[in-house]
Amino acid sequence: MSYTLRHSLAAVLAVCSAALAAAQGVQITLPPGVTGSKEPPPTVAGAAVPGSIDKLGWMAGCWQGTSDVDGSNVRELWLAPAAGTMMGVSQTLLREKSVGWEAMRLYDEGNTVKAWLRPGARREFTMAMEKFEDGFVSFAVTEGDTTTRLIYHRRNGNEIGASFRLIRGEDRRGVDFSFKRIECSTLMGGAK
């Protein structure tokens, strides 16, 4: 396995769960009904498209989701857009243990949006927004022959989906999460 694929895979797996991290180098199959694997394999990430962080306010709030692969639980918090930036954090739990974390930043750059991710102890990386529609955003970066893609899509006011993919030719690895909006006090604790 190439260094680029191994490095990109490690970054995404740290975000998803320790179970996935333990499975580095093992192909993760897409769940039944996911059609993403029928796309032609990209050779580079898509060109950056116009958009503004203000249009991603639907992501703001506190979310909890479950991995379609290993049942790990992800808690994610996104602050509302302010001054051209959205800040986020996440924590992955598996069997009552914290197995991963991530710091995230979405920010306006020129007439597009970039995504900066710092998954756990791995190095940070930046992705370009390659697709932008009402309630849908896709970020990607290509390193060597591997494209890493992150997609968020709004299902309704209280549910969003998130998908992580590593794409190398016909090889597609990744995980999907279904997030439900939760009360932020659930994540924050504090006096009742």
Side-chain angles (χ1 to χ4, degrees):
M1 179 183 302
S2 74
Y3 169 79
T4 302
L5 177 60
R6 193 170 57 248
H7 183 73
S8 296
L9 180 58
V12 172
L13 295 179
V15 171
C16 299
S17 73
L20 292 176
Q24 281 189 28
V26 175
Q27 181 149 348
I28 300 168
T29 58
L30 296 175
V34 173
T35 59
S37 62
K38 294 182 182 174
E39 300 174 53
T43 55
V44 296
V49 298
S52 166
I53 199 71
D54 293 330
K55 302 290 185 181
L56 296 177
W58 53 268
M59 292 174 56
C62 297
W63 304 92
Q64 185 164 311
T66 303
S67 162
D68 67 331
V69 174
D70 66 359
S72 59
N73 182 296
V74 175
R75 306 175 332 156
E76 196 162 291
L77 178 146
W78 283 100
L79 297 178
T85 302
M86 284 181 75
M87 303 298 291
V89 295
S90 73
Q91 178 185 29
T92 303
L93 306 165
L94 182 64
R95 293 190 266 301
E96 313 255 345
K97 290 187 177 186
S98 182
V99 296
W101 63 271
E102 184 170 21
M104 304 166 289
R105 177 177 169 241
L106 305 180
Y107 60 96
D108 287 335
E109 184 171 283
N111 71 341
T112 190
V113 177
K114 297 280 183 98
W116 174 89
L117 306 171
R118 170 69 195 283
R122 312 273 195 273
R123 79 165 172 89
E124 68 268 7
F125 59 99
T126 302
M127 307 171 90
M129 185 170 67
E130 65 174 359
K131 189 170 182 182
F132 178 70
E133 298 171 0
D134 184 34
F136 181 94
V137 65
S138 174
F139 298 95
V141 63
T142 297
E143 298 174 287
D145 59 357
T146 303
T147 296
T148 304
R149 181 166 286 130
L150 168 63
I151 297 171
Y152 280 95
H153 62 281
R154 177 176 50 199
R155 294 184 176 149
N156 59 52
N158 293 315
E159 294 183 18
I160 58 175
S163 298
F164 300 92
R165 292 290 180 269
L166 290 173
I167 303 164
R168 183 178 184 200
E170 294 296 324
D171 185 17
R172 298 179 183 305
R173 302 166 193 234
V175 65
D176 296 309
F177 289 93
S178 295
F179 287 102
K180 292 188 188 285
R181 187 179 297 278
I182 61 173
E183 289 295 322
C184 286
S185 61
T186 304
L187 299 181
M188 302 296 189
K192 302 220 183 218

